[in-house]
């Protein structure tokens, strides 16, 4: 099955700085790569996704890049704010959806 | 309101007892999933189902069982064979297989006493 690895496990940035989280996947059949944000005690919620026929996608301060050849994809958050503090999960699908271990992002005011 | 509902939100169980977690969705989604969340380990797939009366094991299916008798429902039973069942359990659904957004329930926190 698909194996997704995510780095770093924790990330601390100053408000206004950028944050980058990286993931790799193993199954070349995977074609959909979402990112979820989970605030403490709440359910994960989709923040952005990308499909295999696209190399980059942006939504305001959030962007995702995909390198299918290298089997890795990244989440970029610019101009970080304290409310961006949460756990972020990447995922990849082949026949099912597999998640990375998560990155705890802390944005210091 | 359309959505996915898990119950109970909190559950306590004595060792040796089976317990069933409920997951119901009214989104008309084909696929449903159960994940287990432990601190620092992300979301691990227990079981998933793409159609009624069919389901597949995920990475950590041992000690768990599921059924999919109706499209809307995908209950998870945590059996006494699960050696470390204390965890946060999340149910999710998606439109078709896994090629779209997963919608998560609010989760069920199981504690074994």
């Amino acid at each position: 099955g698909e194996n997704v690895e995510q780095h770093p496990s924790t990330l601390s940035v100053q408000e206004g700085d950028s944050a980058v989280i990286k993931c790799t996947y193993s199954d070349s059949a995977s074609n959909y790569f979402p990112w979820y944000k989970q605030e403490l005690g709440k359910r994960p919620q989709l923040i952005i996704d990308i499909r295999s026929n696209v190399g980059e996608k942006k939504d305001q301060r959030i962007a995702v890049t995909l390198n299918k050849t290298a089997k890795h994809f990244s989440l970029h958050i610019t101009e970080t704010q304290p409310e961006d503090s949460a756990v972020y999960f990447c995922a990849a699908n082949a026949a099912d959806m597999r998640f990375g271990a998560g990155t705890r992002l802390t944005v210091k005011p | 309101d359309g959505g996915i509902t898990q119950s109970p939100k909190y559950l306590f169980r004595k060792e040796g007892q089976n317990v069933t977690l409920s997951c119901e969705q009214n989104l008309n989604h084909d696929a449903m999933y159960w994940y287990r969340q432990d601190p620092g380990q992300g979301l691990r797939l227990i079981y998933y189902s793409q159609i009624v009366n069919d389901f597949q094991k995920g990475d950590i299916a041992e000690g768990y069982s599921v059924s999919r008798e109706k499209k809307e429902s995908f209950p998870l039973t945590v059996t006494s064979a699960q050696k470390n069942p204390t965890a946060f359990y999340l149910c999710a659904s998606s439109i078709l297989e896994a090629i779209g957004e997963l919608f998560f329930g609010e989760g069920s926190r199981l504690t074994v006493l």
Side-chain angles (χ1 to χ4, degrees):
Chain A
E2 176 64 274
N3 181 44
V4 179
E5 294 191 358
Q6 181 171 347
H7 300 280
S9 57
T10 61
L11 179 60
S12 181
V13 299
Q14 208 66 35
E15 182 177 0
D17 287 350
S18 295
V20 179
I21 302 170
K22 298 182 178 182
C23 289
T24 60
Y25 63 99
S26 61
D27 192 337
S28 56
S30 289
N31 57 12
Y32 176 66
F33 307 92
W35 286 88
Y36 287 82
K37 175 183 180 182
Q38 186 178 29
E39 297 177 350
L40 190 62
K42 296 189 177 180
R43 73 186 88 187
Q45 295 203 312
L46 182 73
I47 55 171
I48 195 166
D49 56 13
I50 191 167
R51 298 190 185 271
S52 58
N53 57 348
V54 176
E56 184 174 356
K57 183 176 178 181
K58 189 173 182 181
D59 183 3
Q60 299 183 359
R61 297 186 297 109
I62 295 174
V64 58
T65 58
L66 171 64
N67 183 327
K68 282 208 69 181
T69 303
K71 295 197 187 81
H72 67 70
F73 56 113
S74 301
L75 177 71
H76 305 253
I77 306 175
T78 59
E79 301 172 18
T80 53
Q81 302 167 2
E83 50 266 37
D84 293 330
S85 296
V87 178
Y88 291 81
F89 293 99
C90 62
N93 88 297
D96 52 51
M97 191 73 76
R98 301 298 175 100
F99 285 80
T103 297
R104 181 173 299 279
L105 173 65
T106 303
V107 180
K108 299 177 182 178
Chain B
D1 280 342
I4 182 165
T5 303
Q6 288 185 242
S7 63
K9 193 169 183 179
Y10 300 96
L11 186 60
F12 297 88
R13 186 194 94 176
K14 292 182 180 179
E15 279 193 25
Q17 290 180 336
N18 291 357
V19 62
T20 297
L21 307 180
S22 170
C23 180
E24 303 276 336
Q25 54 98 0
N26 60 5
L27 300 168
N28 198 32
H29 284 173
D30 299 297
M32 297 187 75
Y33 310 80
W34 276 104
Y35 291 92
R36 171 177 170 147
Q37 188 171 26
D38 296 286
Q41 295 199 46
L43 304 173
R44 291 186 292 167
L45 183 65
I46 305 172
Y47 270 99
Y48 68 102
S49 169
Q50 297 172 347
I51 58 173
V52 174
N53 292 323
D54 189 42
F55 46 83
Q56 286 77 40
K57 293 181 180 180
D59 293 327
I60 56 167
E62 185 176 351
Y64 300 97
S65 66
V66 293
S67 63
R68 186 90 186 272
E69 297 177 1
K70 300 185 300 181
K71 186 176 185 178
E72 302 79 16
S73 178
F74 192 41
L76 174 74
T77 296
V78 185
T79 75
S80 57
Q82 169 49 235
K83 298 194 185 317
N84 185 21
T86 294
F88 188 56
Y89 292 89
L90 283 162
C91 180
S93 67
S94 67
I95 294 174
L96 182 63
E97 295 184 349
I99 58 172
E101 178 181 357
L102 290 189
F103 291 82
F104 285 90
E106 291 191 342
S108 294
R109 187 167 297 280
L110 172 63
T111 302
V112 175
L113 305 173

